[in-house]
Amino acid sequence: MSSPESWGRYPRVEQTTHPLVWRSDTLPSVSGTMLPHGLGRSYGDSCLNAGGTLLLTSGLDRLIAFDPATGVVRCEAGVTLDTLLRLAVPRGWFLPVTPGTKYVTVGGAIANDVHGKNHHRGGTFGRYVRRFELVRSDGSRRVCAPDENADWYGATIGGLGLTGLVTWAEVQLKPISNPFVLQETVPFENLDAFLKVARESEADHEFTMAWVDCLARGKKVGRGLLYRGNFAPPQFDRLPLAKSHLSHGSGLAVPMDMPSFCLNRLSVSAFNWLYYHRQNGKPQQRLTHYDPFFYPLDAIYGWNRIYGSRGFLQFQCVVPYATARDALKEILERSSRGGLPSFLSVLKTFGDIPSPGWMSFPRQGVTLAMDFANRGEKTYRLVEELDRLTREAGGAVYPAKDARMSAESFAAYFPRRAEFAGYIDPAFSSSFWRRMNPVTLPFSLEAERAAGAPQPQSVLALR
Amino acid sequence: MKKVLVLGATSAIAQATVRLLAARGASLYLVGRNAENLEAVAKDAATRGAAKVDSQAVDLNTFDAHEALVDGAFQSLGGLDGVVLAHGVLGDQVEAQRSWAATEAVLRTNFLSAVSLLTVLANRFEAQKAGTLVVISSVAGDRGRQSNYVYGASKGALNVFLQGLRNRLAKSNVAVVTVKPGFVDTPMTAHLPKNKLFASPEKVARGLLRAADSRKNEVYVPGIWALIMLIIRSIPESVFKKLKL
Ligand SMILES: Cc1cc2nc3c(=O)[nH]c(=O)nc-3n(C[C@H](O)[C@H](O)[C@H](O)COP(=O)(O)OP(=O)(O)OC[C@H]3O[C@@H](n4cnc5c(N)ncnc54)[C@H](O)[C@@H]3O)c2cc1C
């Protein structure tokens, strides 16, 4: 059986899996270490545990309670944001913060303290987590909230799955009057123009984010399209909420790994040119369903396979406003010069709303996310270079999207990491965490696993 | 099915069925062994839109309690028009070969307790001249194989019992639906190597409800198992006994 992968499909590692079924169950005793695993929508190695065990949370997918009057939902940690939307939208509620895919679990959203297009208004997901239960390998269970076990609450939000298993959580949703978004698309011709239009947009728009043509050069570095929007006002109420769940995304799927020649500099630049110019340089406004607005990529199931079997690396950084212009220019130019096009690059501004999570990634400034097909050493060197540039600019790299940042960078990005380390469950670890904290072990996890690996059972034990 | 009793509600297939019934706004009476887990399933159903959810934690191997259990379900929901019988154990074939106690445990749970419950339920449904009894059996009941014939025998016996029951209740407008799933991809089988034959509990649940809605007699879910089992049943015994199945 193939071991679970992360979304970037790099690195590939072998690990044992242990499915969780009931939130009342105790954690298994394993040789080596364990790590919760949601839907594997993290790109790098933060949701992997090479040589150890992954606790699969997809069985913890029950709803516990939903109050349509207050918009508070309580559910098990393996419930997906998609499930929450199906429950909440017809009743007039929406996720307070959502990442660019709805196929993530509540546990995964907490562990990475995910952000969305509304960070400047709403901050991160963790701010809306009212309570959750944390189970540790010593058998202890704690309900954590801002005023109850507050330290565990702060350590676990953004805690990369290392503080223990979240079994259930209670999330405050936000009211909407209908499932439609009034969206405006504004072209900008370079980074300076982006910074200007992004700041302006923040005042009147709850959601903003920009696609950037990362192959544009010279004066055009950082040109792109800014998308901004708000949930449509109540006059659209006649469009029935109950029928609000379009079966968007059910049709297309990437059936297999695509050969890597499909993605080259030429195809990417042709795509980017077309994409930018279909706007004719003018702003456009339209009413759109929330699904394509928030989750355009979910329409193509398994799109990560277009990068072929070697996978791809994502790089997402945030840099403070003070250094943003120069640093991002440099980062964009490096990646375009490297001859390794990023198919999808996204710019967004983060506001100054603090997260309760000690290890939360978002902070005030400008964030840029890029995808790079995995071409081996060349790609690794580029991403490492971008990490270095980010560190020099006083920014940070997002662990959920990372496969190459250095341990020194990590230490610089997350000043509370030492305090956090004291809250890590001794039986938990991840490939990412070991990469960030290299130590030499007196024993080999791989050897232990090989010795104690369970026998595969016969599939002929028909049920 | 609007008012449904679900026996073995914490099993993966039953849970998936409960979700579909809840989404339709059905009223549910859920029975399972572990009170805490049963509560989790009940709350999930209530949150997903069930009109009413009641539950009771009992060990269905206490046959004496069956009459009262069914009474409780009728009272709680103000009548019943559907039953999904989903409890069962896989058992351990090797252990069963060694010990009668282990064999008996499988037969008690999968066959005897089902018969006891269906005896009470069939009489009620016959009297009210309405209702659908859905029973989850298995493809394993179609032919005995060395790898799990004790489990297979419990399901095979159940299938024959259901045939008779169906024959008896046909004139009373009561449907008896035998559902035979193949491999199911439950959290319990997550460590097994998967092939195309594994179906999700959701898929099995959809097939189950489709069969119940159209009051089918015997269905394989997914349908491909009808073909597979046709082939397996038609292998001559003289050949079959030499196969390692
Ligand atoms: C197309 C796409 C767009 C994205 N857009 C955004 C975006 O806009 N903003 C953003 O912030 N992120 C974004 N992401 C990243 C994604 O939101 C995060 O990686 C998210 O955490 C993935 O959740 P998951 O359920 O797949 O968890 P996994 O990736 O499987 O795991 C993530 C982390 O959560 C931990 N974890 C999972 N479950 C539990 C639990 N029950 N208890 C404790 N720890 C747990 C794991 O150990 C791991 O550390 C995007 C990803 C994709 C594929």
Side-chain angles (χ1 to χ4, degrees), chain A residues 210-332:
Chain A
W211 165 83
V212 49
D213 176 358
C214 56
L215 286 179
R217 299 200 185 191
K219 277 194 193 139
K220 292 190 181 131
V221 169
R223 79 166 171 190
L225 303 171
L226 180 109
Y227 298 89
R228 58 191 188 193
N230 290 306
F231 267 106
Q235 60 257 40
F236 292 102
D237 267 353
R238 266 165 298 152
L239 300 164
L241 277 170
K243 289 205 173 140
S244 60
H245 219 93
L246 297 184
S247 58
H248 163 81
S250 56
L252 284 168
V254 176
M256 53 180 186
D257 300 344
M258 300 231 294
S260 53
F261 62 76
C262 290
L263 270 184
N264 57 34
R265 195 177 173 87
L266 202 67
S267 62
V268 171
S269 65
F271 171 84
N272 284 1
W273 191 89
L274 279 171
Y275 203 74
Y276 182 75
H277 285 94
R278 75 178 183 173
Q279 281 282 167
N280 311 319
K282 292 190 192 69
Q284 283 178 1
Q285 208 182 27
R286 65 192 186 103
L287 192 65
T288 167
H289 188 263
Y290 78 78
D291 216 339
F293 179 77
F294 289 107
Y295 313 111
L297 287 166
D298 287 348
I300 308 167
Y301 184 78
W303 62 264
N304 56 338
R305 298 186 149 242
I306 66 172
Y307 288 96
S309 59
R310 295 182 73 181
F312 66 110
L313 282 76
Q314 181 159 99
F315 169 80
Q316 181 172 358
C317 65
V318 56
V319 285
Y321 279 109
T323 53
R325 188 183 168 278
D326 293 344
L328 292 176
K329 191 158 181 289
E330 180 79 21
I331 287 171
L332 282 165

Side-chain angles (χ1 to χ4, degrees), chain A residues 7 36 38-43 46 100 105 108 111-112 114-115 160-161 166 398:
Chain A
W7 194 245
L39 280 168
R41 254 53 177 193
S42 300
Y43 285 76
S46 67
T105 64
N112 276 328
V114 299
H115 58 269
L160 302 167
V166 175
Y398 192 4

Side-chain angles (χ1 to χ4, degrees), chain A residues 26 49 55 68 91 115 122 164 172 177 188 222 265 288 327-328 340 353-354 364 385 413 422 439 444 446:
Chain A
T26 49
N49 190 16
L55 304 171
R91 292 166 176 86
H115 58 269
Q172 174 68 59
S177 12
F188 53 88
R265 195 177 173 87
T288 167
L328 292 176
L340 300 159
I353 303 173
Q364 191 171 30
E385 183 74 0
Y413 301 153
V439 284
S444 152
E446 280 77 7

Side-chain angles (χ1 to χ4, degrees), chain A residues 27-352:
Chain A
L27 292 180
S29 51
V30 299
S31 67
T33 61
M34 52 189 149
L35 181 76
H37 184 85
L39 280 168
R41 254 53 177 193
S42 300
Y43 285 76
D45 54 0
S46 67
C47 62
L48 302 177
N49 190 16
T53 300
L54 286 185
L55 304 171
L56 307 181
T57 61
S58 59
L60 299 177
D61 64 345
R62 296 171 202 90
L63 299 170
I64 301 171
F66 174 63
D67 183 346
T70 60
V72 173
V73 63
R74 189 162 358 121
C75 64
E76 292 182 356
V79 165
T80 65
L81 298 189
D82 180 45
T83 298
L84 291 187
L85 290 168
R86 283 170 196 272
L87 172 78
V89 171
R91 292 166 176 86
W93 296 92
F94 200 77
L95 296 166
V97 166
T98 175
T101 172
K102 60 188 170 180
Y103 301 124
V104 306
T105 64
V106 168
I110 293 172
N112 276 328
D113 196 18
V114 299
H115 58 269
K117 294 175 166 55
N118 61 343
H119 187 272
H120 59 281
R121 281 279 175 88
T124 60
F125 189 85
R127 295 186 63 237
Y128 305 89
V129 177
R130 293 161 46 113
R131 306 191 294 152
F132 57 80
E133 182 187 61
L134 185 69
V135 177
R136 303 262 295 177
S137 62
D138 61 7
S140 65
R141 285 172 185 264
R142 300 180 172 74
V143 171
C144 307
D147 55 4
E148 187 179 354
N149 292 310
D151 50 344
W152 292 97
Y153 180 81
T156 301
I157 292 174
L160 302 167
L162 296 166
T163 61
L165 175 78
V166 175
T167 51
W168 59 262
E170 195 175 281
V171 180
Q172 174 68 59
L173 303 176
K174 75 164 197 207
I176 52 172
S177 12
N178 64 60
F180 297 90
V181 175
L182 256 176
Q183 173 195 318
E184 205 176 347
T185 314
V186 189
F188 53 88
E189 64 211 355
N190 56 29
L191 260 180
D192 291 311
F194 163 77
L195 289 168
K196 187 160 167 288
V197 66
R199 295 316 295 269
E200 282 167 13
S201 301
E202 285 178 2
D204 297 326
H205 298 87
E206 177 163 11
F207 306 107
T208 67
M209 82 79 153
W211 165 83
V212 49
D213 176 358
C214 56
L215 286 179
R217 299 200 185 191
K219 277 194 193 139
K220 292 190 181 131
V221 169
R223 79 166 171 190
L225 303 171
L226 180 109
Y227 298 89
R228 58 191 188 193
N230 290 306
F231 267 106
Q235 60 257 40
F236 292 102
D237 267 353
R238 266 165 298 152
L239 300 164
L241 277 170
K243 289 205 173 140
S244 60
H245 219 93
L246 297 184
S247 58
H248 163 81
S250 56
L252 284 168
V254 176
M256 53 180 186
D257 300 344
M258 300 231 294
S260 53
F261 62 76
C262 290
L263 270 184
N264 57 34
R265 195 177 173 87
L266 202 67
S267 62
V268 171
S269 65
F271 171 84
N272 284 1
W273 191 89
L274 279 171
Y275 203 74
Y276 182 75
H277 285 94
R278 75 178 183 173
Q279 281 282 167
N280 311 319
K282 292 190 192 69
Q284 283 178 1
Q285 208 182 27
R286 65 192 186 103
L287 192 65
T288 167
H289 188 263
Y290 78 78
D291 216 339
F293 179 77
F294 289 107
Y295 313 111
L297 287 166
D298 287 348
I300 308 167
Y301 184 78
W303 62 264
N304 56 338
R305 298 186 149 242
I306 66 172
Y307 288 96
S309 59
R310 295 182 73 181
F312 66 110
L313 282 76
Q314 181 159 99
F315 169 80
Q316 181 172 358
C317 65
V318 56
V319 285
Y321 279 109
T323 53
R325 188 183 168 278
D326 293 344
L328 292 176
K329 191 158 181 289
E330 180 79 21
I331 287 171
L332 282 165
E333 275 175 347
R334 289 274 173 121
S335 56
S336 112
R337 236 188 293 138
L340 300 159
S342 159
F343 192 55
L344 236 166
S345 309
V346 171
L347 273 171
K348 146 119 203 86
T349 48
F350 283 159
D352 60 358

Side-chain angles (χ1 to χ4, degrees), chain A residues 390-404:
Chain A
T390 305
R391 192 172 73 220
E392 282 168 14
V397 169
Y398 192 4
K401 310 279 185 86
D402 178 69
R404 298 303 295 186

